[in-house]
Amino acid sequence: MAPTHRIVRLTVNGDTRTAGVPVHYTLLETLRYAMGLTGSKQGCDKGDCGACTVLLNGEPRLSCITPVWEAEGLDVVTVEGLAGPDGALHPLQDEFDLHGAAQCGFCTPGILCSAAGLLARNPRPTREEIREALSGNLCRCTGYTKIYEAVEAAAARLGSGDAERERGERKEGVS
Amino acid sequence: MLRLPPFQYHRPSQVEEAVELLDRYPGDAMPVAGGTDLIPNMKHRLFTPGHLVALKGISHLHGIRVQGEELTIGACASLTSVAQSREVRTHFPALAEAAGQVAGPQLRNAGTLGGNLCLDTRCTYYNQTEFWRRALGYCLKKDGTVCHVTRVGRKCVAAHSADTPPVLMTLGAQVELVGPSGSRVLPVREFFVADGVWNSRREPDEIVTRVRVPLQPKAFHGSEASGEVSTRVRTGYAKLRQRGAIDFPLLTVAVAVALAPDGTVTWVRGVVTGLGARPRELTGWEEIAVGEPLTPEVVEALAERAGQQCRPLENMIQDPGWRGAMVPVYVRRALGKAVKQGGGGSL
Ligand SMILES: Cc1cc2nc3c(=O)[nH]c(=O)nc-3n(C[C@H](O)[C@H](O)[C@H](O)COP(=O)(O)OP(=O)(O)OC[C@H]3O[C@@H](n4cnc5c(N)ncnc54)[C@H](O)[C@@H]3O)c2cc1C
Ligand code: SF4
């Protein structure tokens, strides 16, 4: 009999984690149902909407259509991994808050991951490059203008080299 | 929530090992590269293989390089890497553009060129959940006996919906396959067949290993362009889709045209997809354009000729009449891009 479950070992947000999962689990199912990381959302669950976006070795990828075995050996970052270890918000999270760039919030974790992937490879993106990088993430309530503005503001903050402003400035005020 | 059916996951590191695995479970194993087509289809129970043979761990299937007289692209090269490759952008801008217009960024990071060539055909009555399809009594392509598009006949006309193959066809590219009985090479033009159920000549236990695109014009087409090293080949690609990202094509037009130093056309080719199961190679274009400069009148004649040959079907939800009317529009756009191309397409 072929095994129905296996132990999977993943590097998630810097931690090495193991879990016993059905052999046919997706990365999203493993994150949400085996590891308790429910930040990545299960939206369309078939690759259309982008709500499940995580970073695999820094690349935005859709965890709902990624067999969990494909993530083994790669560096997985979810929305839970964007803030610093002390809970200090990533500038993107902070600016999304300041700009009101989230409404219902369902698409936000995926958009933050796509944006974080963009800023890591292109610290000073143009508006067009931001639009392109977020074109695989559907938002059905705010529209994208505030989202683009928030990403631009975060890029400016990251690029300013001001460590205080880069991360955690608003830690106290945001719960 | 869409659950995957159960399967065993194999991760070979060699092509031979992958082929051996496919051969070991006939009818019950499928290769998977980026999984961006196969995994959603499995969630819809369109495929339920007991074994998935993952190809991405095979280093031999990666890489994009110019080797001698051709550009070779590994089957597992991601669409992002094809779209961004300096070699691809320099020699064949339309190929970079087509790869860059597939789906959205996350899907291009995972999706591969090999998977794009082997993309399953698509249809309104097919790319649905099991529940949806059962409610309609299924269809000829999967589990049923009738085609809801043609309503008569025994042939599935689901649409070829991949972006890069039409460009590869205009460029005279070849595809390398490896199977249990060895390897073979097929022109991409001959890779596809007009059967929506399985629209390629690839056997289920064969793996696409590489795509080879000739750099020299003479390799594009038999006699006309041969020897004319100064011939400039320009490529153009235009895609009709509902939104500017994520969506599959409703129609695509790929063109390649070679111009002599005096600007007259020496060779021209066009391919349209989003119609039936096989990309359609346009006919009658050489009679119109060869020996002529690409004036607006010639472009108009080519567009009109294309429009006469393409009849979109009700295999997509968008009105076939409208899609048909868009054929000449997109031919004009693709040719416009080819003409505008600067030094990049010069060979
Ligand atoms: C929301 C959405 C939108 C999309 N939009 C587009 C679009 O606009 N244009 C477009 O072209 N595609 C689109 N796609 C489909 C898909 O992302 C791409 O076609 C992609 O290139 C498929 O590659 P893959 O590696 O992910 O294929 P997979 O899903 O891994 O495989 C696809 C098929 O090819 C076979 N296969 C894969 N690699 C090989 C190989 N090397 N040898 C033999 N067989 C192989 C598999 O067995 C399977 O049958 C879209 C998908 C989604 C989910
Ligand atoms: S074209 Fe007909 S047989 Fe083919 S998938 Fe559509 S409805 Fe089914």
Side-chain angles (χ1 to χ4, degrees):
Chain A
M1 252 307 270
T4 57
H5 286 65
R6 285 221 185 115
I7 303 286
V8 63
R9 174 190 287 263
L10 298 179
T11 307
V12 185
N13 301 330
D15 298 331
T16 302
R17 303 190 52 166
T18 53
V21 295
V23 180
H24 56 282
Y25 249 27
T26 61
L27 174 59
L28 180 65
E29 287 164 334
T30 306
L31 292 169
R32 288 181 62 88
Y33 307 123
M35 297 181 172
L37 293 170
T38 53
S40 310
K41 297 296 176 240
Q42 201 160 14
C44 70
D45 217 9
K46 59 192 180 73
D48 290 340
C49 77
C52 68
T53 305
V54 300
L55 298 174
L56 290 188
N57 280 359
E59 261 185 10
R61 294 271 292 270
L62 300 177
S63 60
C64 80
I65 55 170
T66 304
V68 63
W69 313 108
E70 284 297 306
E72 272 194 321
L74 304 183
D75 188 21
V76 185
V77 172
T78 68
V79 69
E80 289 93 341
L82 294 183
D86 59 351
L89 292 183
H90 187 285
L92 276 167
Q93 294 170 305
D94 206 12
E95 294 296 342
F96 267 58
D97 178 21
L98 288 169
H99 283 80
Q103 197 164 314
C104 85
F106 197 80
C107 67
T108 310
I111 293 188
L112 286 169
C113 285
S114 284
L118 169 69
L119 295 188
R121 65 179 187 276
N122 178 1
R124 300 312 294 262
T126 61
R127 177 63 71 100
E128 195 45 42
E129 287 166 339
I130 296 171
R131 283 167 58 92
E132 166 64 26
L134 302 186
S135 63
N137 293 84
L138 297 179
C139 168
R140 297 288 83 148
C141 36
T142 64
Y144 291 82
T145 306
K146 290 175 177 181
I147 295 172
Y148 298 151
E149 286 169 1
V151 176
E152 281 168 351
R157 240 164 93 171
L158 282 163
S160 72
D162 180 344
E164 262 305 285
R165 291 194 64 219
E166 265 184 31
R167 191 182 279 276
E169 183 189 61
R170 295 183 66 249
K171 195 174 105 192
E172 299 307 314
V174 179
S175 56
Chain B
M1 186 182 291
L2 288 166
R3 281 280 161 82
L4 277 168
F7 55 82
Q8 300 296 315
Y9 204 71
H10 305 268
R11 284 178 290 176
S13 56
Q14 303 290 331
V15 173
E16 295 69 31
E17 209 184 323
V19 169
E20 201 274 318
L21 280 161
L22 293 174
D23 198 31
R24 192 187 309 164
Y25 308 105
D28 196 32
M30 288 179 79
V32 61
T36 61
D37 177 45
L38 185 56
I39 300 294
N41 284 353
M42 287 174 66
K43 287 188 164 192
H44 285 164
R45 302 299 185 271
L46 297 171
F47 297 97
T48 50
H51 300 267
L52 284 183
V53 179
L55 303 180
K56 277 207 169 164
I58 304 175
S59 55
H60 180 68
L61 300 180
H62 292 266
I64 301 174
R65 52 187 73 87
V66 171
Q67 281 179 329
E69 298 295 287
E70 40 182 40
L71 175 76
T72 66
I73 307 176
C76 282
S78 74
L79 293 165
T80 300
S81 70
V82 173
Q84 292 178 352
S85 153
R86 195 168 44 82
E87 284 81 5
V88 178
R89 294 173 79 104
T90 306
H91 294 286
F92 310 113
L95 181 57
E97 185 170 348
Q101 289 202 29
V102 172
Q106 302 98 317
L107 289 155
R108 289 193 295 274
N109 287 340
T112 65
L113 188 72
N116 202 235
L117 267 170
C118 302
L119 181 76
D120 192 17
T121 53
R122 297 184 60 84
C123 173
T124 293
Y125 301 101
Y126 173 72
N127 296 101
Q128 304 287 354
T129 58
E130 214 278 334
F131 176 82
W132 193 105
R133 291 183 296 113
R134 182 165 13 108
L136 198 69
Y138 302 105
C139 80
L140 194 56
K141 180 160 159 71
K142 177 71 182 155
D143 302 328
T145 52
V146 277
C147 170
H148 306 295
V149 174
T150 60
R151 297 192 188 89
V152 289
R154 301 285 311 153
K155 211 158 121 191
C156 167
V157 292
H160 178 273
S161 304
D163 282 281
T164 63
V167 182
L168 293 171
M169 286 169 71
T170 63
L171 296 174
Q174 300 200 303
V175 51
E176 282 185 2
L177 297 148
V178 176
S181 50
S183 62
R184 60 184 180 131
V185 180
L186 273 180
V188 179
R189 292 175 71 191
E190 291 166 28
F191 184 67
F192 297 103
V193 295
D195 177 356
V197 175
W198 185 267
N199 76 333
S200 82
R201 290 193 208 280
R202 178 178 77 82
E203 297 295 331
D205 56 5
E206 276 184 314
I207 285 174
V208 172
T209 52
R210 280 202 306 180
V211 172
R212 293 161 32 182
V213 197
L215 296 179
Q216 292 295 330
K218 64 178 180 323
F220 281 77
H221 197 60
S223 49
E224 289 94 332
S226 64
E228 291 192 42
V229 179
S230 59
T231 299
R232 292 162 55 79
V233 171
R234 300 143 181 265
T235 58
Y237 186 67
K239 171 178 182 172
L240 173 68
R241 63 197 331 199
Q242 208 152 10
R243 297 170 290 199
I246 306 178
D247 291 332
F248 278 93
L250 302 177
L251 185 80
T252 76
V253 179
V255 300
V257 52
L259 300 180
D262 68 356
T264 56
V265 174
T266 57
W267 169 92
V268 63
R269 191 177 275 172
V271 176
V272 178
T273 56
L275 306 167
R278 183 169 58 176
R280 174 178 282 272
E281 295 198 87
L282 297 170
T283 59
W285 270 24
E286 304 229 302
E287 291 83 84
I288 294 172
V290 169
E292 306 283 332
L294 263 187
T295 57
E297 292 72 34
V298 172
V299 168
E300 205 43 52
L302 293 172
E304 199 180 312
R305 189 80 181 81
Q308 290 158 359
Q309 297 170 53
C310 300
R311 290 275 165 271
L313 302 161
E314 283 178 13
N315 48 14
M316 299 179 196
I317 211 150
Q318 294 79 4
D319 179 42
W322 171 68
R323 281 156 52 217
M326 287 300 109
V327 171
V329 176
Y330 278 73
V331 166
R332 269 183 238 127
R333 288 187 187 176
L335 282 167
K337 285 185 193 177
V339 170
K340 266 202 232 99
Q341 217 173 78
S346 169
L347 289 165

